[in-house]
Amino acid sequence: MLRELGAEVREVRTAADLDGLDGLVMPGGESTTMSLGIEREQLAEPLRDFVARGRPVLGTCAGLIMLDREHLGLMDTLAQRNAFGRQLHSFEADVELPNIGTFHAVFIRAPWIAEHGPAVEVLAEVDGHPVAARQGPMLVVSFHPELTGDNRLHEAFLEQIRRSRAAGAA
Ligand code: GLN
């Protein structure tokens, strides 16, 4: 989706892959598997450095889990995995996102944010539970914005990257 919007993208599997990146997507998938990969490649510190330099991060679903207190510890959040119930593995819902409006969201064994500190701004909720939030340069959503044809969230992320690059250059 980012490529369709004109961005040059690459997969990050090792710390060297982070070099020169302006932004990072922590994707959906399986947070246990991602934790093992991060451990194997000793990626935790390089990822923390990346965020400390103010580079924008978009975390989706398992990516939201990876950024929380119990994983990379980059956001003051505690994610609850598979929060919408085991039998309800996936569902779709319209959520209201600031600056974007109504967004049709696809949830797949999605987490929600069970706890968060004051630095975290909640952007959207489903059934009273946060499913989108921001803290500094990090934007997390518990759904999969790449699974619909709607690219507005990715466009907003690229816009954030452009602003962050302009601020860095200034
Ligand atoms: N349930 C997965 C986990 O706990 C996340 C699912 C997803 O990313 N779609 O890691």
Side-chain angles (χ1 to χ4, degrees), residues 1-105:
M1 201 160 238
L2 291 169
R3 201 175 276 134
E4 275 167 26
L5 287 166
E8 195 186 320
V9 303
R10 85 164 78 111
E11 287 189 355
V12 173
R13 293 179 181 279
T14 66
D17 295 327
L18 285 169
D19 284 349
L21 287 189
D22 295 316
L24 178 72
V25 175
M26 294 286 291
E30 235 301 312
S31 51
T32 310
T33 309
M34 287 163 74
S35 295
L36 291 171
I38 286 170
E39 166 121 27
R40 188 187 59 229
E41 296 297 334
Q42 300 188 316
L43 258 171
E45 276 316 303
L47 287 170
R48 290 191 190 108
D49 288 349
F50 188 87
V51 172
R53 288 199 300 269
R55 302 275 203 280
V57 175
L58 172 63
T60 64
C61 203
L64 175 151
I65 299 169
M66 293 311 303
L67 291 166
D68 87 350
R69 291 174 192 152
E70 292 192 334
H71 294 81
L72 289 168
L74 286 165
M75 283 184 78
D76 192 9
T77 51
L78 182 64
Q80 182 169 336
R81 296 178 64 192
N82 303 316
F84 291 94
R86 292 203 165 273
Q87 57 279 55
L88 192 56
H89 275 178
S90 71
F91 64 98
E92 302 182 15
D94 284 341
V95 296
E96 292 298 320
L97 294 174
N99 304 321
I100 289 183
T102 307
F103 194 93
H104 190 69

Side-chain angles (χ1 to χ4, degrees), residues 123-136:
L123 303 177
E125 299 185 339
V126 168
D127 297 342
H129 301 286
V131 295
R134 177 186 291 292
Q135 180 180 344

